[in-house]
């Protein structure tokens, strides 16, 4: 089992967190900047105040993640089933063309 982030399936939770939290841009609201940062293998949501001209850390909380489960095998089997369905439709169209030509 893996962890789903968007349409991708990652084998480890740390990979999924890196993709999810690493892709979130910093948010600026007035003189406050909020961003996710990796600190010692743990993702933290840090809030900085820039009113004094320099970035001063106001608060830091550990980010909590929960991703839906996914399986690469299930996705592969779904793709194979879709491929066989397309092949069956193409075969049926070819067979109909041959029957029509014979009549």
């Amino acid at each position: 089992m893996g962890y789903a982030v968007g349409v991708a399936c990652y084998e480890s939770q740390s990979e999924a967190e890196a993709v999810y939290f690493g892709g979130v841009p910093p948010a600026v609201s007035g003189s406050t900047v909020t961003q996710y940062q990796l600190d010692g293998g743990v993702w933290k949501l840090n809030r900085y105040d820039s009113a004094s001209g320099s970035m001063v850390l106001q608060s830091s909380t550990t980010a909590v993640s929960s991703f839906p489960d996914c399986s690469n095998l299930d996705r592969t089997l779904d793709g194979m089933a879709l491929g066989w369905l397309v092949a069956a439709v193409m075969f049926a169209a070819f067979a109909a063309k041959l029957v029509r030509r014979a009549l």
Side-chain angles (χ1 to χ4, degrees):
M1 276 304 190
Y3 301 91
V5 178
V7 296
C9 186
Y10 297 95
E11 292 298 320
S12 71
Q13 186 167 358
S14 61
E15 288 177 322
E17 287 176 345
V19 170
Y20 180 77
F21 293 126
V24 177
V28 179
S29 176
S31 64
T32 303
V33 177
T34 306
Q35 67 181 9
Y36 287 103
Q37 287 184 328
L38 186 61
D39 183 20
V42 177
W43 283 95
K44 295 188 176 190
L45 180 62
N46 295 334
R47 287 185 176 82
Y48 297 95
D49 184 23
S50 62
S52 64
S54 63
M55 300 289 280
V56 178
L57 182 63
Q58 286 182 325
S59 66
S60 180
T61 56
T62 302
V64 179
S65 63
S66 66
F67 302 108
D69 292 335
C70 64
S71 171
N72 284 327
L73 177 61
D74 289 343
R75 292 176 183 219
T76 302
L77 294 176
D78 289 345
M80 286 175 48
L82 182 62
W84 282 112
L85 180 63
V86 169
V89 169
M90 291 175 65
F91 178 76
F94 180 71
K97 182 179 178 183
L98 288 179
V99 167
R100 184 174 166 186
R101 193 179 293 171
L103 295 176

